[in-house]
Amino acid sequence: MEKQVTIYDLARALNLSTATISRALDDSPLVKLRTREMIRAMAEKMGYRQNLIASNLRKQQSRTIGVLLHEVNSHFATSVLSGIEKITTKERYDILIAHSGEDGAREIANTRNLFNKRVDGLIVSLAMTTSSMDHFSPFFEQGIPVVFFDRIIKKMPCSKIVIDNLKAGYQATAHLLDQGYRRIAHITASLQRNVYEDRFKGYKKALADHRIPFVPELVETCSLNREDTLEALNKLLLQKPDAFFITNDFAAAVCMDALQQKGIRIPGDMGMIGFNNDILGSLISPKLSTIDYPGLLMGETAAQTLMEKIKTKKNGKAILESKNITIPSTLIIRESTGKKDRPGRSRKA
Amino acid sequence: MEKQVTIYDLARALNLSTATISRALDDSPLVKLRTREMIRAMAEKMGYRQNLIASNLRKQQSRTIGVLLHEVNSHFATSVLSGIEKITTKERYDILIAHSGEDGAREIANTRNLFNKRVDGLIVSLAMTTSSMDHFSPFFEQGIPVVFFDRIIKKMPCSKIVIDNLKAGYQATAHLLDQGYRRIAHITASLQRNVYEDRFKGYKKALADHRIPFVPELVETCSLNREDTLEALNKLLLQKPDAFFITNDFAAAVCMDALQQKGIRIPGDMGMIGFNNDILGSLISPKLSTIDYPGLLMGETAAQTLMEKIKTKKNGKAILESKNITIPSTLIIRESTGKKDRPGRSRKA
DNA sequence: TTGAAAGCGCTAACAG
DNA sequence: CTGTTAGCGCTTTCAA
């Protein structure tokens, strides 16, 4: 456990001031090239490593951005993360990831911690149970840029990156209708969250446009984990649906598995469409139709937007207008939404 | 963009010294209870937030641990991460995640950065292409605890958390053999990495124990992404194998899909076993037999081990003996390894 | 082109 | 129980 080498050590060794050392290590043109080279060489030789904590304290920044997620164990979340990372590493920022496990209280604690760590910006997707937004106010008060993505609150005064969930929900539902399905059940999560609310609206709008009555009993909300999804599925099955629009591919896969075990053929007897375009969907059988949700692009866009805000802030310009960016999503048609069999015409398995 | 409230502001407001403020906010019993309460109230009122950067500089710690991963987009990786997080949040540590995307050069850059950020400890799973270990020496020199997990280097002087990959590879192969399969192909990744090397050894040992000759042409190594895996699959198919032991569930699922499209029945015509127990495996059809790889436990154990090291270090005890911990893994038998059909006895599909 | 010196916000000896 | 004081290691004005 040796002592760290500091710029003082370098200064002493070279008979220079710490100011010069600091400048040289930053490659400042204020320092004569030869001195710079000398200093670099000595730093190398003595095994000097910059102390970023000290540097950050002095510069009043952390060169770190906070990412507040509800969960990380999905293909979507990891895509977003790599999108964010792609941008931030290019700009030499670190990311501090905090995830709430869908728990509002933990989200608040995490937010507080990230603030105390003096992150230079924040990227957020809300937890399922978050209702108040007060925990973000320290960021707003200090003018620390915040960007929301995916799960947002529409009236927050900051930039937001979303997809058009209403349209996507509409497309998914309309596609099932076009394939001949009529009693479409919908499994989704808390309608407090914009994404689920909007998809639900899309679902209803598609039904209305096709003159199919909306049946509230055909809609269940749950946490979307395995057990809860199966419970929702069984409840809905009592309503004799002929198709499912499920707001998450994993949950859809779970349902497909359960339905097939009951001898229900997908498609044919039952249509099924998911949401997110998880790789999972292309590996199960039948392959799952879904909505492509470009996580990577979303992460990149969120990070890009944040970086711009951080930069304009540094240049002293306080005019941080909020942008609302909508990322395109696409309907992916695979096998699980093949045409519905007409009654009395059922095929062999 | 208001000015931050510091302990100086509190001290001035209450006519106390910063020392007292600092102690009170730390809930030190050295401060009279009433004063403490007063200070807390004032801090609340003035919107004080601790500056962790300053605190960390002073305390010569970051209360952050670095996690160096090769990839984060797998169920295994996210399980490990939540295991780590479970322990570290309890101890009020943050985690700084860096992932190399299997690129040795990026791993080196990340390691350097985490060092400069003065992480209090490091948890590492090596990238596929890392060969030298020099980038870790600053940590060893400074006595900063490092724990390796999963992808390790056996001769490194630090704690390591692994599963018994040899045994697991043996079990997977032996199970296929027990089910009547004889020409078992093996798709794996770089044999430089202990995990793949050991599984391969287990594979060979199982063959030997069953007096089946080892055929080098039945083994392919690749990156395990979709394209490379399919390429390996097609190459191996020329060797007429009757089963596959694939060192990763995702790759196994990709292969199963491709094989089924060729009309090959699994099981029966072909046995298939994966590795990792990704949720994926229980959702595809047939359900994939695999080796359960307890990521959560692995993460917890790694974090626990690291925390202990950090603590003993803080107490000045420098005797950081390296532990080698082996986590149990289990063979999960599902459908994809059903008995092999005997020739001339093939069933209907 | 370089140096002196102040200070970022906090903590912890030491003193009282 | 509270205060004084000296830094942690770095950056950055200001002066030379």
Side-chain angles (χ1 to χ4, degrees):
Chain A
M1 171 122 187
E2 302 158 32
K3 190 80 189 56
Q4 293 278 17
V5 181
T6 72
I7 53 171
Y8 288 99
D9 301 318
L10 294 179
R12 207 170 317 115
L14 291 167
N15 231 295
L16 286 167
S17 74
T18 58
T20 307
I21 306 288
S22 174
R23 290 190 193 106
L25 293 172
D26 199 29
D27 234 354
S28 157
L30 290 177
V31 180
K32 208 197 326 179
L33 187 59
R34 258 205 303 157
T35 336
R36 248 185 284 168
E37 280 164 355
M38 202 173 68
I39 291 173
R40 292 210 92 80
M42 182 57 86
E44 177 76 19
K45 186 178 149 214
M46 297 177 65
Y48 170 80
R49 294 296 193 102
Q50 187 187 33
N51 185 327
L52 285 173
I53 299 182
S55 168
N56 286 338
L57 175 60
R58 176 59 228 242
K59 293 205 270 193
Q60 295 287 60
Q61 52 141 44
S62 61
R63 245 195 146 66
T64 299
I65 71 158
V67 181
L68 217 50
L69 295 173
H70 41 93
E71 264 313 338
V72 290
N73 57 12
S74 71
H75 180 239
F76 174 66
T78 52
S79 307
V80 172
L81 237 29
S82 33
I84 293 175
E85 217 186 18
K86 202 166 148 190
I87 304 297
T88 52
T89 52
K90 200 162 53 189
E91 308 269 356
R92 302 202 349 278
Y93 274 73
D94 283 308
I95 59 183
L96 215 40
I97 301 166
H99 79 102
S100 57
E102 299 294 11
D103 175 1
R106 243 172 91 195
E107 181 180 295
I108 292 174
N110 286 338
T111 311
R112 199 185 167 84
N113 180 252
L114 290 176
F115 181 85
N116 288 355
K117 284 243 166 168
R118 296 296 190 273
V119 294
D120 297 331
L122 195 62
I123 296 180
V124 186
S125 180
L126 293 169
M128 204 70 94
T129 63
T130 306
S131 46
S132 156
M133 291 293 123
D134 295 348
H135 48 301
F136 295 113
S137 45
F139 286 87
F140 297 136
E141 281 162 18
Q142 297 297 324
I144 300 167
V146 179
V147 172
F148 283 79
F149 76 93
D150 193 39
R151 299 213 199 146
I152 62 161
I153 292 281
K154 283 168 190 167
K155 40 186 161 287
M156 289 297 271
C158 52
S159 293
K160 303 170 205 88
I161 322 290
V162 285
I163 65 159
D164 188 340
N165 282 285
L166 193 150
K167 184 177 140 208
Y170 185 96
Q171 284 181 316
T173 313
H175 172 56
L176 284 170
L177 290 165
D178 291 345
Q179 294 296 86
Y181 298 97
R182 283 296 169 267
R183 271 186 80 77
I184 302 176
H186 182 38
I187 298 183
T188 188
S190 169
L191 296 176
Q192 269 190 72
R193 282 287 84 86
N194 64 304
V195 289
Y196 304 113
E197 184 198 3
D198 288 353
R199 291 173 203 173
F200 180 46
K201 280 185 190 156
Y203 163 82
K204 284 196 289 194
K205 185 160 186 298
L207 291 179
D209 285 0
H210 287 71
R211 298 173 188 285
I212 308 276
F214 164 61
V215 182
E217 289 74 29
L218 280 172
V219 178
E220 282 291 329
T221 67
C222 72
S223 75
L224 300 178
N225 71 19
R226 191 178 210 122
E227 295 72 39
D228 293 0
T229 302
L230 286 171
E231 200 183 313
L233 174 72
N234 287 325
K235 228 176 187 170
L236 289 170
L237 243 22
L238 301 175
Q239 300 292 330
K240 306 277 177 215
D242 65 0
F244 281 87
F245 165 30
I246 301 182
T247 201
N248 168 298
D249 282 343
F250 170 73
V254 167
C255 289
M256 279 217 320
D257 185 50
L259 290 169
Q260 287 177 321
Q261 260 168 45
K262 290 181 203 284
I264 297 170
R265 286 169 314 119
I266 301 171
D269 295 342
M270 187 81 80
M272 171 79 65
I273 189 161
F275 210 102
N276 277 9
N277 197 16
D278 205 297
I279 1 146
L280 173 61
S282 66
L283 293 169
I284 55 181
S285 132
K287 299 195 196 311
L288 185 66
S289 293
T290 187
I291 300 286
D292 182 49
Y293 208 144
L296 195 82
L297 183 59
M298 202 161 214
E300 285 175 11
T301 314
Q304 200 69 66
T305 311
L306 190 70
M307 292 280 89
E308 277 164 26
K309 289 200 177 199
I310 291 176
K311 279 182 196 158
T312 57
K313 185 189 163 190
K314 271 199 180 163
N315 300 339
K317 295 168 202 150
I319 331 113
L320 305 173
E321 24 158 348
S322 312
K323 286 198 227 168
N324 285 322
I325 300 178
T326 303
I327 303 281
S329 61
T330 357
L331 173 66
I332 309 261
I333 300 174
R334 296 210 188 92
E335 301 163 359
S336 65
T337 50
K339 284 238 178 283
K340 180 174 181 181
D341 283 347
R342 303 218 217 110
R345 263 251 231 145
S346 84
R347 302 167 301 177
K348 289 267 156 63
Chain B
M1 173 129 184
E2 302 157 32
K3 191 80 189 59
Q4 292 279 16
V5 181
T6 71
I7 53 172
Y8 288 99
D9 301 318
L10 294 180
R12 206 170 318 113
L14 292 167
N15 232 295
L16 286 166
S17 74
T18 59
T20 307
I21 306 287
S22 174
R23 289 189 194 107
L25 293 171
D26 198 30
D27 232 355
S28 156
L30 289 176
V31 180
K32 208 198 323 181
L33 188 58
R34 253 196 315 148
T35 334
R36 249 186 284 168
E37 280 164 355
M38 202 174 67
I39 291 173
R40 292 209 90 80
M42 182 56 88
E44 176 76 22
K45 185 177 149 218
M46 297 178 64
Y48 170 80
R49 295 295 194 102
Q50 187 188 31
N51 185 327
L52 284 173
I53 299 182
S55 168
N56 286 338
L57 175 60
R58 177 58 228 241
K59 294 205 271 192
Q60 295 287 59
Q61 51 140 47
S62 60
R63 244 195 146 66
T64 300
I65 71 156
V67 181
L68 216 51
L69 294 174
H70 41 93
E71 264 315 338
V72 290
N73 57 12
S74 71
H75 179 240
F76 174 67
T78 52
S79 308
V80 171
L81 237 30
S82 30
I84 293 176
E85 217 185 17
K86 202 166 148 190
I87 303 297
T88 52
T89 51
K90 199 162 54 188
E91 309 269 355
R92 302 204 347 280
Y93 273 72
D94 284 308
I95 58 183
L96 214 40
I97 301 166
H99 78 102
S100 57
E102 299 293 11
D103 175 1
R106 244 172 91 195
E107 181 181 294
I108 292 174
N110 287 338
T111 311
R112 197 185 169 85
N113 180 253
L114 290 176
F115 182 86
N116 287 356
K117 284 243 166 169
R118 295 297 190 271
V119 294
D120 297 332
L122 195 63
I123 295 180
V124 186
S125 180
L126 293 169
M128 204 71 96
T129 62
T130 306
S131 46
S132 158
M133 292 292 122
D134 294 348
H135 47 302
F136 295 112
S137 44
F139 286 87
F140 297 136
E141 281 162 18
Q142 297 297 326
I144 300 166
V146 179
V147 172
F148 283 79
F149 76 93
D150 194 38
R151 299 214 199 145
I152 62 161
I153 292 281
K154 282 167 190 168
K155 40 188 163 289
M156 290 297 272
C158 52
S159 293
K160 304 170 205 88
I161 322 290
V162 285
I163 64 158
D164 188 338
N165 282 285
L166 193 150
K167 183 176 139 207
Y170 185 97
Q171 284 181 316
T173 312
H175 172 56
L176 284 170
L177 290 165
D178 291 346
Q179 295 295 85
Y181 299 96
R182 284 295 170 268
R183 271 187 80 77
I184 302 176
H186 182 39
I187 299 183
T188 188
S190 169
L191 297 176
Q192 268 191 73
R193 283 286 86 87
N194 63 304
V195 289
Y196 305 113
E197 185 199 2
D198 288 353
R199 291 172 203 174
F200 181 44
K201 280 187 190 158
Y203 163 82
K204 284 195 288 192
K205 186 161 184 299
L207 292 179
D209 284 1
H210 287 71
R211 297 173 188 285
I212 308 275
F214 164 61
V215 183
E217 289 74 29
L218 280 173
V219 178
E220 283 291 329
T221 68
C222 72
S223 75
L224 300 177
N225 71 18
R226 192 177 209 124
E227 295 72 38
D228 294 359
T229 302
L230 287 172
E231 200 183 313
L233 174 72
N234 287 325
K235 228 175 187 172
L236 288 170
L237 244 22
L238 302 175
Q239 300 292 328
K240 306 280 176 210
D242 64 0
F244 280 88
F245 165 30
I246 300 182
T247 201
N248 168 299
D249 283 344
F250 169 74
V254 167
C255 289
M256 278 216 320
D257 185 50
L259 289 170
Q260 288 177 321
Q261 259 165 45
K262 289 181 203 285
I264 296 171
R265 288 169 313 119
I266 300 171
D269 295 343
M270 187 80 79
M272 173 79 65
I273 189 162
F275 210 103
N276 277 11
N277 197 18
D278 204 296
I279 1 146
L280 174 62
S282 65
L283 293 169
I284 55 181
S285 128
K287 297 196 195 311
L288 185 66
S289 295
T290 188
I291 299 287
D292 181 49
Y293 208 144
L296 195 82
L297 183 59
M298 202 160 212
E300 285 175 13
T301 314
Q304 200 69 67
T305 310
L306 190 70
M307 292 280 92
E308 277 165 24
K309 288 199 176 200
I310 291 176
K311 278 182 196 159
T312 57
K313 184 188 163 190
K314 270 197 181 165
N315 300 339
K317 296 167 202 151
I319 332 113
L320 305 172
E321 26 160 343
S322 313
K323 286 198 226 167
N324 285 322
I325 300 178
T326 303
I327 303 280
S329 61
T330 356
L331 173 66
I332 308 259
I333 300 174
R334 296 209 188 93
E335 299 163 359
S336 65
T337 50
K339 283 238 178 286
K340 181 175 180 182
D341 284 346
R342 301 218 216 109
R345 267 251 231 142
S346 83
R347 303 165 301 178
K348 289 265 156 67

